[in-house]
Amino acid sequence: GSLLLWLLPAILRARASPESRPSPTLCQQSPTKVSCKGLGLQKFPKELGQGIKHLELSNNFIQNLSGSYMPGFGQLEYLDVRFNQLEAVSATALARLPRLRSLLLGSNRLDRNYLANGEAFHLLRNIEVLDLSVNNLESHMASWYISNLTSLRVLDLSGNTMSKLLAGTFRGSPRLRWLDLSNNCVMEIQQGAFEPLQELEVLNLALNCLHCISGFSLTQLRVLNLSHNALELFSSEEGAEPYLLRVLDLSHNRLLSFPELPKAHDLTHLNLSHNLIASLLPGSPHPVEFILPYKEMGRFNRTVRPAAALTRVADLDLSNNRLQLFPLSFFHSLGSLHSLSLARNCLQDVARECLTDSSELSVRSLDLNSNALRMLPRWFFHSLPHLESMDLGSNSLQPCESQGSDQGGDLGGDSHTSAAGDTCTPFYKVPGLKHLSLSKNNISRLQPFAFSRTPLLSLDLSGNRDLSMAQAALEGLELSLQELSLRDNQMDESRVALPCLGALRALDLSGNRLSLLPSGLSCSSLQSLDLRDNNLQSLGPLGSWARSLRAVWVTGNPWRCCSLGWLDA
């Protein structure tokens, strides 16, 4: 026994030794592709056979690529050595890979020996895809690695420690089309840094420390991600050449106003969420405490409507800003706008301004969740004739009573903002609206015919504590409504009045005080029913509606064990 204990460390060391481990036999092989991922290799595997074109060595412990370990790989086109401990790459090794097109070296230690490694990289004449992410590379190190890669098309330098982009960084790789510089410490972009990259289409600068983008001149870019920086200013260069930009992400910055993009005629997706934008109206002054010390601010003409040129924008996200007013006129020039989010702002009102009665917006999906809205006038819905989906959760809106007619007329009349005496919002006669959320609006009573002649497919009324539904509250939705949520309303059966909803497929009644099921269920062909956390002791006799059920949730009820016959259904 003592002898075995004495020999045990030596046995374990022998098993862990790469010389004793038959690692190549553990690799998954096909005629031209080999995968040795996660096998604990410490050296480049030998005897893998000739003709391999695709080799995966990620998640091992390889520290160097040496020519002595790499015979017979002259056909190799793809090499993945990510997530190793790679410090050294020899020129001899790379010279034996003349056909290499893709080299993935992310998550290694290439900041060490970078001078010798970079010299070896000069032999990568045909490399098109290079991953150097998460290697602790500083700016000058990255510049040296790519200083002579004239065929390079895709480059990943994310997750390094680059603090500035030097003017000559990309001079040796002029054919780049896709460049990822995200998650570095970039605070400065020297003038002309991107000038050699005339073919660049996708640029990711997210998660850096940039404060100002002035004179943006990369007109050939299609996609630009500048999210999660500290940008207070973004301005494009004043030139005659139009921009080809289609996707621009400026979210999670410190922008105080809508960016001016007079030449971005092809832009389709614009993300401005999580900024400090307080107004969309022209001429709105900046708060005194945010006056910027940039000389470029002097040339801005704030009387120009910044959205005037964005005629192709289909998706605009302005959520998590500081907007207090929803000016419809600002969005009027966005003729292609389909999805608009103004969620989690400080909206209290909507402004009509100088819009004519015939002015219409093309928006199909509108998110106004988590604002301070108390009322939306009738003309607001008239201005959105294509509206299909609307999220008004976490506001203070009370639906009006329709009584099956047009009672109340055009609430708000022709006034430019809602009148002080208006206390409810007309959700009836909105012919295109299919999905509506009024969750957490403190609705105390749902009036009769509140959604008459609005063909809703889904309706969310959850989180309105002590909600009471009038007998005819959902009248008019019998043939259209498919999903209804009354979750977490603390309602008892006397407050839940459901009509004959023949199209209803999903019903959420969880988080209430029901001791009986609503009688209106007898008309529905429910497939999903959520009854969790109520006061149900039994479901009683189940009608034909229960036969269509596919999912039912019943936990959190005080069921009587002697009245479980309904389970047989």
Side-chain angles (χ1 to χ4, degrees):
S2 59
L3 178 62
L4 180 62
L5 290 175
W6 182 75
L7 290 175
L8 185 59
I11 295 173
L12 292 176
R13 282 196 301 272
R15 287 184 176 179
S17 171
E19 284 76 18
S20 64
R21 186 190 304 116
S23 53
T25 61
L26 298 177
C27 299
Q28 298 178 356
Q29 300 192 43
S30 68
T32 61
K33 182 176 180 179
V34 176
S35 176
C36 302
K37 295 189 293 186
L39 297 181
L41 302 180
Q42 296 184 14
K43 296 181 180 180
F44 207 90
K46 300 179 180 180
E47 302 174 0
L48 287 178
Q50 303 294 316
I52 295 174
K53 294 183 178 181
H54 187 114
L55 179 57
E56 297 178 354
L57 296 171
S58 60
N59 296 93
N60 283 290
F61 302 100
I62 298 172
Q63 294 185 339
N64 64 76
L65 295 184
S66 171
S68 59
Y69 293 106
M70 300 179 64
F73 287 97
Q75 304 296 316
L76 198 64
E77 297 177 0
Y78 178 99
L79 177 58
D80 182 356
V81 200
R82 292 175 298 170
F83 298 100
N84 277 269
Q85 298 174 1
L86 196 62
E87 299 179 3
V89 181
S90 74
T92 308
L94 297 186
R96 294 183 177 181
L97 304 174
R99 298 193 179 184
L100 195 63
R101 298 288 186 274
S102 298
L103 179 57
L104 310 186
L105 301 173
S107 298
N108 279 286
R109 303 170 178 173
L110 293 178
D111 57 319
R112 308 178 186 181
N113 307 305
Y114 80 93
L115 287 173
N117 293 340
E119 188 73 34
F121 270 48
H122 291 173
L123 298 173
L124 296 172
R125 302 291 186 185
N126 298 315
I127 201 74
E128 296 179 359
V129 178
L130 178 61
D131 179 2
L132 292 173
S133 62
V134 196
N135 272 283
N136 201 33
L137 299 178
E138 298 177 21
S139 301
H140 64 285
M141 298 177 183
S143 298
W144 177 237
Y145 270 110
I146 64 173
S147 60
N148 194 33
L149 304 182
T150 54
S151 298
L152 197 61
R153 309 306 296 268
V154 175
L155 175 61
D156 189 349
L157 287 169
S158 63
N160 283 290
T161 57
M162 302 171 66
S163 60
K164 65 171 63 176
L165 299 182
L166 307 173
T169 296
F170 305 107
R171 192 174 296 137
S173 48
R175 300 186 63 194
L176 274 178
R177 298 183 64 180
W178 190 96
L179 176 58
D180 190 346
L181 294 163
S182 63
N183 198 21
N184 275 275
C185 308
V186 177
M187 294 181 286
E188 179 186 353
I189 301 176
Q190 290 187 354
Q191 188 172 0
F194 294 116
E195 191 171 328
L197 304 181
Q198 296 302 307
E199 300 180 31
L200 190 64
E201 294 184 355
V202 178
L203 175 59
N204 189 352
L205 280 164
L207 294 160
N208 279 286
C209 306
L210 295 168
H211 286 263
C212 172
I213 298 292
S214 173
F216 174 71
S217 58
L218 295 174
T219 57
Q220 81 283 3
L221 271 187
R222 263 60 169 191
V223 178
L224 175 59
N225 187 350
L226 284 163
S227 64
H228 294 274
N229 276 274
L231 289 176
E232 298 173 323
L233 173 66
F234 181 92
S235 68
S236 57
E237 193 173 64
E238 293 181 330
E241 190 174 354
Y243 288 80
L244 301 179
L245 198 62
R246 295 187 178 180
V247 178
L248 176 58
D249 190 344
L250 293 169
S251 63
H252 295 271
N253 279 285
R254 300 175 184 173
L255 294 176
L256 302 171
S257 60
F258 199 94
E260 299 195 3
L261 302 164
K263 299 294 182 180
H265 300 297
D266 291 338
L267 198 64
T268 59
H269 294 76
L270 178 57
N271 190 347
L272 296 170
S273 64
H274 294 272
N275 276 283
L276 304 174
I277 302 173
S279 177
L280 298 175
L281 297 174
S284 300
H286 296 306
V288 174
E289 64 269 26
F290 292 120
I291 296 298
L292 303 180
Y294 304 121
K295 62 182 180 181
E296 291 85 354
M297 292 294 292
R299 65 176 174 83
F300 281 6
N301 182 3
R302 297 303 299 161
T303 62
V304 176
R305 297 184 182 275
L310 306 180
T311 56
R312 296 185 184 178
V313 170
D315 184 355
L316 175 57
D317 191 345
L318 281 162
S319 61
N320 291 281
N321 276 278
R322 299 183 175 185
L323 296 170
Q324 297 184 20
L325 192 63
F326 184 167
L328 264 71
S329 60
F330 177 86
F331 303 100
H332 187 237
S333 60
L334 305 179
S336 301
L337 189 60
H338 284 179
S339 177
L340 174 61
S341 178
L342 293 165
R344 293 172 292 282
N345 274 273
C346 311
L347 295 176
Q348 301 178 28
D349 215 336
V350 291
R352 196 174 190 178
E353 285 186 309
C354 56
L355 283 183
T356 63
D357 291 336
S358 61
S359 297
E360 296 179 352
L361 303 187
S362 57
V363 175
R364 299 182 184 276
S365 175
L366 179 59
D367 189 351
L368 297 174
N369 190 289
S370 300
N371 279 282
L373 293 169
R374 304 184 66 85
M375 181 268 175
L376 295 175
R378 166 60 66 185
W379 59 258
F380 180 79
F381 294 98
H382 286 168
S383 300
L384 297 164
H386 306 288
L387 190 63
E388 297 179 357
S389 177
M390 195 175 195
D391 189 346
L392 293 168
S394 298
N395 282 281
S396 299
L397 297 166
Q398 303 292 321
C400 295
E401 178 180 359
S402 167
Q403 296 187 348
S405 67
D406 295 341
Q407 177 177 338
D410 286 354
L411 293 175
D414 294 325
S415 60
H416 289 204
T417 58
S418 55
D422 296 330
T423 58
C424 66
T425 297
F427 291 105
Y428 54 86
K429 282 191 66 178
V430 187
L433 191 59
K434 298 176 182 178
H435 306 280
L436 175 62
S437 174
L438 288 170
S439 66
K440 298 180 182 178
N441 267 264
N442 296 313
I443 301 173
S444 57
R445 178 172 173 79
L446 200 61
Q447 301 295 340
F449 304 99
F451 309 101
S452 175
R453 295 207 267 179
T454 298
L456 291 175
L457 299 178
S458 67
L459 176 60
D460 187 353
L461 293 168
S462 63
N464 291 288
R465 190 177 180 87
D466 297 322
L467 173 66
S468 175
M469 300 173 62
Q471 190 64 36
L474 300 183
E475 292 286 347
L477 299 178
E478 293 88 345
L479 301 179
S480 65
L481 193 63
Q482 299 177 10
E483 299 179 14
L484 174 61
S485 177
L486 296 170
R487 183 183 68 251
D488 293 330
N489 287 334
Q490 297 298 306
M491 307 164 69
D492 59 33
E493 55 272 17
S494 67
R495 293 172 173 263
V496 183
L498 297 182
C500 183
L501 299 172
L504 195 63
R505 297 293 179 267
L507 176 61
D508 189 348
L509 291 170
S510 62
N512 285 288
R513 299 197 298 265
L514 300 177
S515 56
L516 296 172
L517 291 182
S519 58
L521 289 184
S522 58
C523 295
S524 304
S525 298
L526 283 177
Q527 297 179 2
S528 172
L529 178 62
D530 194 339
L531 298 171
R532 286 174 291 186
D533 300 316
N534 275 280
N535 293 329
L536 294 166
Q537 297 183 12
S538 171
L539 293 186
L542 298 182
S544 59
W545 63 271
R547 297 172 186 170
S548 59
L549 276 175
R550 297 291 179 269
V552 58
W553 291 267
V554 297
T555 58
N557 283 280
W559 302 108
R560 286 190 305 188
C561 296
C562 299
S563 304
L564 296 178
W566 52 271
L567 282 174
D568 296 335

